[in-house]
Protein backbone atom coordinates (compact mmCIF):
# COMPACT_ATOMS: atom_id res chain seq x y z
CA UNK A 1 0.00 0.00 0.00
CA UNK A 2 1.20 3.50 -0.77
CA UNK A 3 1.78 5.11 2.64
CA UNK A 4 1.30 8.52 1.14
CA UNK A 5 -2.41 7.69 0.74
CA UNK A 6 -2.82 5.64 3.93
CA UNK A 7 -5.01 7.26 6.58
CA UNK A 8 -2.97 8.53 9.52
CA UNK A 9 -3.56 8.32 13.25
CA UNK A 10 -1.49 10.10 15.87
CA UNK A 11 -0.64 9.25 19.45
CA UNK A 12 1.19 11.44 21.95
CA UNK A 13 2.43 9.46 24.96
CA UNK A 14 2.74 11.05 28.40
CA UNK A 15 3.68 8.51 31.04
CA UNK A 16 0.85 5.99 31.50
CA UNK A 17 -1.60 8.02 29.38
CA UNK A 18 -1.82 9.07 25.72
CA UNK A 19 -3.83 11.29 23.45
CA UNK A 20 -5.01 9.38 20.35
CA UNK A 21 -6.19 11.24 17.21
CA UNK A 22 -8.13 9.22 14.61
CA UNK A 23 -7.74 9.78 10.83
CA UNK A 24 -10.99 11.76 10.79
CA UNK A 25 -9.72 14.11 13.54
CA UNK A 26 -11.45 12.74 16.63
CA UNK A 27 -9.41 12.98 19.84
CA UNK A 28 -9.50 10.28 22.50
CA UNK A 29 -7.73 9.75 25.80
CA UNK A 30 -6.10 6.38 26.48
CA UNK A 31 -4.70 5.08 29.75
CA UNK A 32 -2.66 2.06 30.80
CA UNK A 33 -4.36 -0.59 32.90
CA UNK A 34 -3.02 -3.21 35.27
CA UNK A 35 -2.91 -5.74 32.42
CA UNK A 36 -2.11 -3.50 29.45
CA UNK A 37 0.81 -1.10 28.98
CA UNK A 38 0.01 2.30 27.36
CA UNK A 39 1.93 1.37 24.18
CA UNK A 40 -0.11 -1.79 23.68
CA UNK A 41 -3.26 0.20 24.33
CA UNK A 42 -2.26 2.57 21.49
CA UNK A 43 -1.54 -0.34 19.07
CA UNK A 44 -4.83 -2.00 19.99
CA UNK A 45 -6.74 1.24 19.39
CA UNK A 46 -4.95 1.77 16.03
CA UNK A 47 -5.79 -1.82 14.99
CA UNK A 48 -9.45 -1.22 15.80
CA UNK A 49 -9.36 1.93 13.67
CA UNK A 50 -7.70 0.06 10.76
CA UNK A 51 -10.49 -2.52 10.88
CA UNK A 52 -13.10 0.22 10.96
CA UNK A 53 -11.82 2.00 7.84
CA UNK A 54 -10.95 -1.29 6.15
CA UNK A 55 -7.39 -0.35 5.12
CA UNK A 56 -3.91 -0.24 6.62
CA UNK A 57 -3.31 2.66 8.94
CA UNK A 58 -0.20 4.76 9.42
CA UNK A 59 0.42 5.39 13.10
CA UNK A 60 2.72 8.23 14.12
CA UNK A 61 3.70 8.28 17.81
CA UNK A 62 5.63 10.80 19.86
CA UNK A 63 6.58 10.85 23.50
CA UNK A 64 9.20 10.06 26.12
CA UNK A 65 10.57 7.12 24.10
CA UNK A 66 11.07 9.03 20.86
CA UNK A 67 9.06 9.21 17.61
CA UNK A 68 7.95 6.23 15.54
CA UNK A 69 6.10 5.70 12.23
CA UNK A 70 4.34 2.37 12.10
CA UNK A 71 2.08 0.69 9.58
CA UNK A 72 -0.78 -1.00 11.40
CA UNK A 73 -2.64 -3.65 9.44
CA UNK A 74 -6.25 -4.54 10.04
CA UNK A 75 -5.21 -7.98 11.29
CA UNK A 76 -3.08 -6.43 14.04
CA UNK A 77 0.30 -6.93 12.37
CA UNK A 78 2.79 -4.06 12.52
CA UNK A 79 5.07 -3.10 9.62
CA UNK A 80 7.77 -0.54 9.01
CA UNK A 81 7.19 2.58 6.97
CA UNK A 82 10.91 2.79 6.16
CA UNK A 83 12.87 -0.31 7.28
CA UNK A 84 16.18 1.51 6.76
CA UNK A 85 15.40 4.16 9.33
CA UNK A 86 16.20 3.50 12.99
CA UNK A 87 13.50 5.93 14.02
CA UNK A 88 10.95 3.95 12.04
CA UNK A 89 11.78 0.59 13.65
CA UNK A 90 8.38 -1.14 13.80
CA UNK A 91 9.39 -2.93 17.02
CA UNK A 92 11.00 0.04 18.75
CA UNK A 93 7.72 1.35 20.00
CA UNK A 94 7.14 -1.84 21.93
CA UNK A 95 10.73 -2.71 22.78
CA UNK A 96 10.53 -1.59 26.44
CA UNK A 97 7.51 -3.77 27.07
CA UNK A 98 9.04 -6.79 25.37
CA UNK A 99 12.32 -6.41 27.29
CA UNK A 100 10.47 -6.33 30.60
CA UNK A 101 8.35 -9.34 29.66
CA UNK A 102 11.41 -11.27 28.52
CA UNK A 103 13.19 -10.51 31.82
CA UNK A 104 10.12 -11.56 33.78
CA UNK A 105 9.82 -14.83 31.85
CA UNK A 106 13.51 -15.56 32.37
CA UNK A 107 13.26 -14.88 36.13
CA UNK A 108 10.20 -17.11 36.41
CA UNK A 109 11.99 -19.91 34.59
CA UNK A 110 14.99 -19.56 36.91
CA UNK A 111 12.71 -19.71 39.95
CA UNK A 112 11.17 -22.92 38.63
CA UNK A 113 14.59 -24.48 38.02
CA UNK A 114 15.78 -23.55 41.54
CA UNK A 115 12.60 -24.93 43.11
CA UNK A 116 12.95 -28.23 41.23
CA UNK A 117 16.61 -28.57 42.26
CA UNK A 118 15.91 -27.74 45.92
CA UNK A 119 12.85 -29.92 46.22
CA UNK A 120 9.56 -28.92 47.83
CA UNK A 121 9.72 -26.40 50.69
CA UNK A 122 9.32 -27.59 54.26
CA UNK A 123 5.66 -28.02 55.09
CA UNK A 124 4.31 -25.78 57.83
CA UNK A 125 2.49 -27.77 60.50
CA UNK A 126 -1.13 -26.93 61.09
CA UNK A 127 -0.65 -27.80 64.80
CA UNK A 128 0.86 -24.81 66.59
CA UNK A 129 3.13 -25.53 69.58
CA UNK A 130 1.69 -24.67 72.98
CA UNK A 131 3.59 -21.73 74.47
CA UNK A 132 1.11 -19.97 76.70
CA UNK A 133 1.28 -20.07 80.47
CA UNK A 134 -1.06 -22.49 82.20
CA UNK A 135 -4.49 -21.17 83.01
CA UNK A 136 -4.77 -19.73 86.54
CA UNK A 137 -6.33 -22.12 89.04
CA UNK A 138 -7.01 -19.69 91.88
CA UNK A 139 -7.59 -16.05 92.71
CA UNK A 140 -9.43 -13.32 90.88
CA UNK A 141 -8.03 -14.16 87.45
CA UNK A 142 -9.27 -17.74 87.73
CA UNK A 143 -12.76 -16.46 88.62
CA UNK A 144 -12.75 -14.08 85.64
CA UNK A 145 -11.64 -16.91 83.35
CA UNK A 146 -14.51 -19.04 84.66
CA UNK A 147 -16.86 -16.20 83.68
CA UNK A 148 -15.38 -16.12 80.18
CA UNK A 149 -13.13 -13.09 80.73
CA UNK A 150 -9.57 -14.02 79.80
CA UNK A 151 -6.75 -11.69 80.87
CA UNK A 152 -3.40 -12.18 79.20
CA UNK A 153 -0.61 -13.20 81.60
CA UNK A 154 1.79 -10.50 82.73
CA UNK A 155 5.53 -10.60 81.86
CA UNK A 156 6.25 -11.84 85.39
CA UNK A 157 3.72 -14.66 85.00
CA UNK A 158 5.17 -15.63 81.63
CA UNK A 159 8.68 -15.69 83.13
CA UNK A 160 7.49 -17.90 85.97
CA UNK A 161 5.76 -20.24 83.54
CA UNK A 162 8.98 -20.52 81.55
CA UNK A 163 10.92 -21.43 84.71
CA UNK A 164 8.32 -24.04 85.63
CA UNK A 165 8.62 -25.52 82.15
CA UNK A 166 12.41 -25.76 82.49
CA UNK A 167 12.38 -27.42 85.93
CA UNK A 168 9.78 -29.98 84.83
CA UNK A 169 11.89 -31.17 81.87
CA UNK A 170 12.81 -34.85 81.60
CA UNK A 171 16.09 -35.59 79.81
CA UNK A 172 17.19 -38.77 78.11
CA UNK A 173 19.43 -40.45 80.65
CA UNK A 174 20.36 -39.53 84.21
CA UNK A 175 21.57 -35.96 84.88
CA UNK A 176 23.73 -34.86 87.83
CA UNK A 177 24.22 -31.59 89.73
CA UNK A 178 27.11 -31.01 92.15
CA UNK A 179 26.46 -28.58 95.01
CA UNK A 180 29.93 -27.66 96.24
CA UNK A 181 31.90 -25.17 98.31
CA UNK A 182 35.05 -26.09 100.22
CA UNK A 183 33.86 -24.30 103.35
CA UNK A 184 31.35 -25.79 105.76
CA UNK A 185 28.19 -24.00 106.89
CA UNK A 186 27.68 -22.05 103.65
CA UNK A 187 24.30 -23.52 102.62
CA UNK A 188 25.23 -26.67 100.66
CA UNK A 189 22.65 -28.85 102.40
CA UNK A 190 19.96 -26.17 102.12
CA UNK A 191 20.69 -25.72 98.41
CA UNK A 192 20.69 -29.48 97.76
CA UNK A 193 17.34 -29.99 99.50
CA UNK A 194 15.64 -27.03 97.83
CA UNK A 195 16.92 -27.94 94.35
CA UNK A 196 15.72 -31.50 94.86
CA UNK A 197 12.33 -30.30 96.10
CA UNK A 198 11.68 -27.94 93.18
CA UNK A 199 12.89 -30.39 90.53
CA UNK A 200 11.03 -33.37 92.00
CA UNK A 201 7.77 -31.54 92.67
CA UNK A 202 7.76 -30.03 89.18
CA UNK A 203 9.07 -33.03 87.26
CA UNK A 204 7.20 -35.79 89.07
CA UNK A 205 9.78 -37.33 91.38
CA UNK A 206 12.67 -39.71 90.55
CA UNK A 207 15.15 -37.24 92.06
CA UNK A 208 17.88 -38.32 94.48
CA UNK A 209 19.67 -36.01 96.94
CA UNK A 210 22.98 -37.78 97.65
CA UNK A 211 24.93 -36.83 100.78
CA UNK A 212 28.42 -37.27 99.30
CA UNK A 213 30.23 -36.38 102.51
CA UNK A 214 32.97 -38.18 104.43
CA UNK A 215 32.77 -35.83 107.39
CA UNK A 216 29.44 -35.80 109.21
CA UNK A 217 27.03 -34.78 106.46
CA UNK A 218 23.87 -33.21 107.86
CA UNK A 219 21.45 -33.75 104.97
CA UNK A 220 19.91 -36.68 106.87
CA UNK A 221 19.40 -34.54 109.96
CA UNK A 222 17.39 -31.92 108.10
CA UNK A 223 15.22 -34.22 105.98
CA UNK A 224 12.49 -36.73 106.64
CA UNK A 225 13.46 -40.27 107.73
CA UNK A 226 12.14 -43.25 105.79
CA UNK A 227 11.06 -46.68 106.98
CA UNK A 228 14.62 -47.99 107.24
CA UNK A 229 17.61 -46.55 109.07
CA UNK A 230 19.81 -46.94 105.99
CA UNK A 231 22.87 -45.03 104.81
CA UNK A 232 25.24 -45.15 101.89
CA UNK A 233 27.26 -47.83 103.74
CA UNK A 234 24.22 -50.13 103.54
CA UNK A 235 23.65 -49.46 99.86
CA UNK A 236 27.18 -50.25 98.77
CA UNK A 237 27.15 -54.05 99.46
CA UNK A 238 23.69 -54.31 97.85
CA UNK A 239 24.72 -52.49 94.66
CA UNK A 240 25.28 -55.61 92.55
CA UNK A 241 21.89 -57.01 93.48
CA UNK A 242 20.18 -53.71 92.71
CA UNK A 243 21.82 -53.68 89.27
CA UNK A 244 20.72 -57.23 88.42
CA UNK A 245 18.07 -57.73 85.71
CA UNK A 246 15.67 -59.18 88.28
CA UNK A 247 15.74 -56.08 90.55
CA UNK A 248 12.47 -54.18 90.91
CA UNK A 249 12.18 -50.39 90.90
CA UNK A 250 10.85 -50.46 94.47
CA UNK A 251 13.93 -52.28 95.81
CA UNK A 252 15.81 -48.99 96.14
CA UNK A 253 13.32 -47.86 98.82
CA UNK A 254 15.13 -49.92 101.45
CA UNK A 255 18.21 -47.72 101.13
CA UNK A 256 16.86 -44.19 100.64
CA UNK A 257 14.57 -41.86 102.60
CA UNK A 258 11.55 -40.53 100.73
CA UNK A 259 10.36 -36.96 101.31
CA UNK A 260 6.59 -37.29 101.30
CA UNK A 261 5.66 -33.70 100.44
CA UNK A 262 8.68 -32.71 98.36
CA UNK A 263 8.76 -36.05 96.46
CA UNK A 264 12.53 -36.65 96.32
CA UNK A 265 14.66 -39.34 97.98
CA UNK A 266 17.70 -38.87 100.22
CA UNK A 267 20.75 -41.12 100.24
CA UNK A 268 22.24 -40.44 103.66
CA UNK A 269 25.77 -40.58 104.97
CA UNK A 270 26.25 -41.48 108.64
CA UNK A 271 27.06 -38.35 110.64
CA UNK A 272 27.89 -40.45 113.70
CA UNK A 273 30.88 -42.13 112.04
CA UNK A 274 34.33 -40.67 111.65
CA UNK A 275 35.48 -39.93 108.13
CA UNK A 276 37.95 -42.80 108.24
CA UNK A 277 35.06 -45.26 108.59
CA UNK A 278 33.00 -44.02 105.64
CA UNK A 279 35.46 -43.14 102.94
CA UNK A 280 34.28 -44.03 99.46
CA UNK A 281 36.95 -44.98 96.93
CA UNK A 282 36.74 -44.10 93.25
CA UNK A 283 35.55 -47.55 92.14
CA UNK A 284 32.93 -47.64 94.89
CA UNK A 285 31.62 -44.24 93.90
CA UNK A 286 31.31 -45.37 90.27
CA UNK A 287 29.36 -48.45 91.36
CA UNK A 288 26.99 -46.33 93.45
CA UNK A 289 26.57 -43.97 90.50
CA UNK A 290 25.46 -46.88 88.34
CA UNK A 291 22.78 -47.69 90.90
CA UNK A 292 21.66 -44.08 91.08
CA UNK A 293 21.44 -43.82 87.27
CA UNK A 294 19.41 -47.04 87.19
CA UNK A 295 16.72 -45.75 89.56
CA UNK A 296 16.74 -41.95 89.18
CA UNK A 297 16.52 -39.43 86.36
CA UNK A 298 18.30 -36.73 88.36
CA UNK A 299 20.95 -36.84 91.13
CA UNK A 300 21.96 -33.84 93.24
CA UNK A 301 25.18 -34.21 95.23
CA UNK A 302 25.57 -32.49 98.60
CA UNK A 303 29.37 -32.46 98.60
CA UNK A 304 31.68 -32.67 101.55
CA UNK A 305 34.38 -30.14 102.35
CA UNK A 306 37.41 -32.31 101.50
CA UNK A 307 38.16 -31.36 97.92
CA UNK A 308 40.96 -33.96 97.76
CA UNK A 309 38.71 -36.94 98.62
CA UNK A 310 38.22 -39.51 95.87
CA UNK A 311 34.45 -39.34 96.15
CA UNK A 312 34.57 -35.52 95.85
CA UNK A 313 36.71 -35.65 92.70
CA UNK A 314 34.57 -38.39 91.11
CA UNK A 315 31.49 -36.27 91.89
CA UNK A 316 32.99 -33.45 89.83
CA UNK A 317 33.94 -35.82 87.03
CA UNK A 318 30.37 -37.22 86.94
CA UNK A 319 28.47 -33.92 87.04
CA UNK A 320 26.68 -32.03 84.30
CA UNK A 321 26.15 -28.85 86.32
CA UNK A 322 27.91 -27.11 89.22
CA UNK A 323 26.01 -25.06 91.80
CA UNK A 324 28.07 -23.10 94.34
CA UNK A 325 26.26 -21.82 97.44
CA UNK A 326 27.58 -18.99 99.58
CA UNK A 327 26.31 -16.90 102.44
CA UNK A 328 26.83 -13.15 102.63
CA UNK A 329 29.97 -13.54 104.76
CA UNK A 330 33.22 -12.62 102.94
CA UNK A 331 34.88 -15.90 103.95
CA UNK A 332 32.06 -17.92 102.41
CA UNK A 333 32.24 -15.99 99.14
CA UNK A 334 36.04 -16.19 99.00
CA UNK A 335 35.88 -19.98 99.43
CA UNK A 336 33.45 -20.16 96.49
CA UNK A 337 35.78 -18.04 94.35
CA UNK A 338 38.79 -20.21 95.24
CA UNK A 339 36.85 -23.32 94.22
CA UNK A 340 36.14 -21.80 90.82
CA UNK A 341 39.82 -20.91 90.41
CA UNK A 342 40.91 -24.46 91.28
CA UNK A 343 38.42 -26.07 88.88
CA UNK A 344 39.54 -23.85 86.01
CA UNK A 345 43.07 -25.18 86.47
CA UNK A 346 42.16 -28.85 87.05
CA UNK A 347 41.12 -30.15 83.62
CA UNK A 348 38.90 -29.32 80.65
CA UNK A 349 35.73 -30.80 82.13
CA UNK A 350 36.19 -29.02 85.48
CA UNK A 351 36.90 -25.73 83.69
CA UNK A 352 33.67 -26.10 81.71
CA UNK A 353 31.76 -26.72 84.94
CA UNK A 354 33.26 -23.55 86.46
CA UNK A 355 32.38 -21.42 83.44
CA UNK A 356 28.81 -22.77 83.41
CA UNK A 357 28.36 -22.64 87.19
CA UNK A 358 25.40 -21.14 89.06
CA UNK A 359 26.27 -19.24 92.25
CA UNK A 360 23.56 -19.03 94.94
CA UNK A 361 23.88 -16.22 97.48
CA UNK A 362 21.65 -16.87 100.49
CA UNK A 363 20.91 -14.14 103.01
CA UNK A 364 21.75 -15.41 106.47
CA UNK A 365 19.88 -12.50 108.10
CA UNK A 366 17.14 -10.07 106.97
CA UNK A 367 19.54 -7.12 106.96
CA UNK A 368 22.09 -8.57 104.55
CA UNK A 369 20.38 -7.82 101.21
CA UNK A 370 22.94 -5.18 100.24
CA UNK A 371 25.78 -7.56 101.08
CA UNK A 372 24.12 -10.28 98.99
CA UNK A 373 23.84 -7.95 96.00
CA UNK A 374 27.49 -6.91 96.36
CA UNK A 375 28.69 -10.52 96.42
CA UNK A 376 26.42 -11.44 93.51
CA UNK A 377 27.91 -8.61 91.46
CA UNK A 378 31.39 -9.90 92.21
CA UNK A 379 30.58 -13.30 90.67
CA UNK A 380 28.48 -12.03 87.75
CA UNK A 381 31.28 -11.94 85.16
CA UNK A 382 32.79 -15.28 86.15
CA UNK A 383 29.89 -17.76 86.01
CA UNK A 384 26.79 -18.36 83.90
CA UNK A 385 24.26 -17.22 86.50
CA UNK A 386 24.04 -15.76 90.01
CA UNK A 387 20.83 -15.98 92.07
CA UNK A 388 19.97 -14.42 95.44
CA UNK A 389 17.76 -16.20 97.99
CA UNK A 390 16.20 -13.91 100.61
CA UNK A 391 16.34 -14.55 104.32
CA UNK A 392 13.76 -17.06 105.49
CA UNK A 393 13.46 -18.52 109.02
CA UNK A 394 12.39 -21.82 107.44
CA UNK A 395 15.94 -22.25 106.11
CA UNK A 396 17.86 -21.50 109.29
CA UNK A 397 17.16 -24.65 111.28
CA UNK A 398 14.89 -27.63 111.57
CA UNK A 399 13.41 -29.79 108.78
CA UNK A 400 13.76 -28.43 105.26
CA UNK A 401 10.29 -28.25 103.73
CA UNK A 402 9.55 -26.30 100.58
CA UNK A 403 5.99 -25.50 101.63
CA UNK A 404 7.18 -23.98 104.93
CA UNK A 405 8.99 -21.17 103.09
CA UNK A 406 7.65 -17.73 102.31
CA UNK A 407 6.30 -17.14 98.77
CA UNK A 408 9.24 -14.88 97.84
CA UNK A 409 11.68 -17.56 98.98
CA UNK A 410 9.90 -20.25 97.01
CA UNK A 411 10.05 -18.04 93.92
CA UNK A 412 13.76 -17.50 94.48
CA UNK A 413 14.43 -21.24 94.68
CA UNK A 414 12.41 -21.75 91.51
CA UNK A 415 14.78 -19.31 89.78
CA UNK A 416 17.80 -21.16 91.19
CA UNK A 417 16.45 -24.51 90.00
CA UNK A 418 15.63 -23.15 86.54
CA UNK A 419 19.12 -21.69 86.20
CA UNK A 420 20.67 -25.01 87.23
CA UNK A 421 18.37 -27.10 85.03
CA UNK A 422 19.18 -24.93 82.02
CA UNK A 423 22.70 -26.34 82.15
CA UNK A 424 21.43 -29.92 81.93
CA UNK A 425 20.23 -29.63 78.34
CA UNK A 426 23.62 -30.45 76.83
CA UNK A 427 25.62 -33.61 77.03
CA UNK A 428 28.13 -33.48 79.87
CA UNK A 429 31.07 -31.19 78.93
Amino acid sequence: MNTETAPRAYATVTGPTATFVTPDGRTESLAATRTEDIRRAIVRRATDEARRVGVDLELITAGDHGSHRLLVHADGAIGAIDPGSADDDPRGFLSDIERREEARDTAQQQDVEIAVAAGPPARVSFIAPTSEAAAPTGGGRALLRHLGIVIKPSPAELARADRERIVSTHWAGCRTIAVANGKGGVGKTITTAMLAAVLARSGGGNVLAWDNNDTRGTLGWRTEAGLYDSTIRDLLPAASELLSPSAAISDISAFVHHQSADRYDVLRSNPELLAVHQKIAEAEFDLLMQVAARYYRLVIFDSGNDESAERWLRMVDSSFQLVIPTLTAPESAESAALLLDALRERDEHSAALAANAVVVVTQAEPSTRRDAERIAAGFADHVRAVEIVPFDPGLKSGPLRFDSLRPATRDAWLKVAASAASGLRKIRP
Side-chain angles (χ1 to χ4, degrees):
M1 178 179 179
N2 185 355
T3 57
E4 295 297 328
T5 60
R8 289 180 176 175
Y10 301 87
T12 303
V13 182
T14 306
T17 62
T19 301
F20 185 83
V21 181
T22 64
D24 55 5
R26 288 182 292 109
T27 300
E28 301 175 9
S29 296
L30 302 178
T33 65
R34 194 174 63 176
T35 59
E36 186 177 50
D37 186 274
I38 187 59
R39 295 169 182 78
R40 290 202 182 279
I42 292 171
V43 171
R44 178 182 53 76
R45 181 64 186 87
T47 301
D48 292 342
E49 190 63 23
R51 289 198 190 100
R52 187 182 70 81
V53 298
V55 296
D56 296 340
L57 181 72
E58 181 182 0
L59 174 62
I60 300 175
T61 67
D64 52 356
H65 288 266
S67 299
H68 299 274
R69 293 179 64 213
L70 310 176
L71 188 61
V72 180
H73 301 279
D75 61 1
I78 301 175
I81 299 297
D82 181 3
S85 170
D87 288 342
D88 295 333
D89 176 8
R91 308 305 303 166
F93 183 63
L94 300 175
S95 60
D96 286 345
I97 304 170
E98 292 171 342
R99 279 195 294 271
R100 285 196 295 271
E101 290 181 345
E102 182 180 358
R104 180 198 63 200
D105 294 341
T106 300
Q108 289 177 342
Q109 180 62 29
Q110 290 174 343
D111 290 343
V112 170
E113 292 173 355
I114 291 172
V116 170
R123 186 179 70 82
V124 177
S125 175
F126 294 99
I127 307 301
T130 301
S131 59
E132 293 185 358
T137 57
R141 288 188 60 212
L143 176 61
L144 291 174
R145 188 180 184 89
H146 181 71
L147 296 174
I149 304 172
V150 179
I151 301 176
K152 289 184 177 181
S154 67
E157 289 170 323
L158 290 174
R160 180 182 178 83
D162 188 55
R163 296 185 194 109
E164 291 174 342
R165 176 187 59 78
I166 293 171
V167 298
S168 63
T169 301
H170 281 219
W171 303 269
C174 180
R175 294 293 196 266
T176 49
I177 299 174
V179 179
N181 186 324
K183 190 177 186 308
V186 297
K188 292 193 293 293
T189 295
I190 291 171
T191 301
T192 300
M194 291 300 102
L195 279 175
V198 173
L199 292 165
R201 289 163 67 109
S202 300
N206 294 110
V207 175
L208 178 66
W210 177 340
D211 194 351
N212 190 43
N213 199 329
D214 283 339
T215 55
R216 303 191 189 281
T218 58
L219 182 62
W221 282 348
R222 301 203 62 186
T223 53
E224 185 178 345
L227 297 176
Y228 309 96
D229 189 21
S230 303
T231 70
I232 196 168
R233 300 305 306 181
D234 300 302
L235 175 60
L236 191 56
S240 297
E241 185 177 348
L242 289 169
L243 291 172
S244 69
S246 61
I249 192 68
S250 60
D251 290 348
I252 194 67
S253 299
F255 304 95
V256 295
H257 302 262
H258 185 64
Q259 307 303 297
S260 54
D262 289 333
R263 306 182 68 179
Y264 67 94
D265 292 347
V266 174
L267 178 59
R268 291 181 170 186
S269 64
N270 191 336
E272 297 177 2
L273 293 179
L274 296 175
V276 69
H277 297 305
Q278 53 181 345
K279 285 188 178 295
I280 300 293
E282 181 176 320
E284 293 173 317
F285 179 95
D286 291 344
L287 182 61
L288 290 168
M289 190 63 234
Q290 290 180 48
V291 175
R294 170 79 178 272
Y295 292 89
Y296 296 94
R297 65 181 179 87
L298 182 60
V299 176
I300 305 172
F301 297 108
D302 181 3
S303 78
N305 303 327
D306 184 359
E307 298 170 2
S308 66
E310 288 186 53
R311 69 195 296 175
W312 194 96
L313 296 172
R314 288 304 292 157
M315 173 196 71
V316 171
D317 294 337
S318 304
S319 292
F320 286 73
Q321 175 66 51
L322 175 65
V323 175
I324 303 181
T326 177
L327 301 181
T328 50
E331 298 83 0
S332 174
E334 185 65 16
S335 177
L338 290 172
L339 173 58
L340 288 169
D341 293 341
L343 290 174
R344 293 188 189 100
E345 298 296 328
R346 180 173 179 252
D347 57 29
E348 184 178 354
H349 172 69
S350 301
L353 285 176
N356 195 47
V358 176
V359 171
V360 182
V361 185
T362 302
Q363 290 180 243
E365 299 295 338
S367 60
T368 56
R369 181 70 187 188
R370 183 174 298 177
D371 292 334
E373 292 173 348
R374 177 178 54 81
I375 290 174
F379 282 105
D381 294 332
H382 302 283
V383 294
R384 178 169 59 84
V386 183
E387 305 292 350
I388 296 177
V389 176
F391 170 79
D392 194 307
L395 296 175
K396 289 205 71 172
S397 61
L400 291 167
R401 303 280 192 276
F402 189 75
D403 285 335
S404 69
L405 304 179
R406 297 167 176 172
T409 313
R410 294 199 296 267
D411 286 343
W413 283 116
L414 175 61
K415 290 183 67 176
V416 172
S419 292
S422 296
L424 302 177
R425 296 172 181 173
K426 300 179 181 179
I427 299 300
R428 195 180 68 194

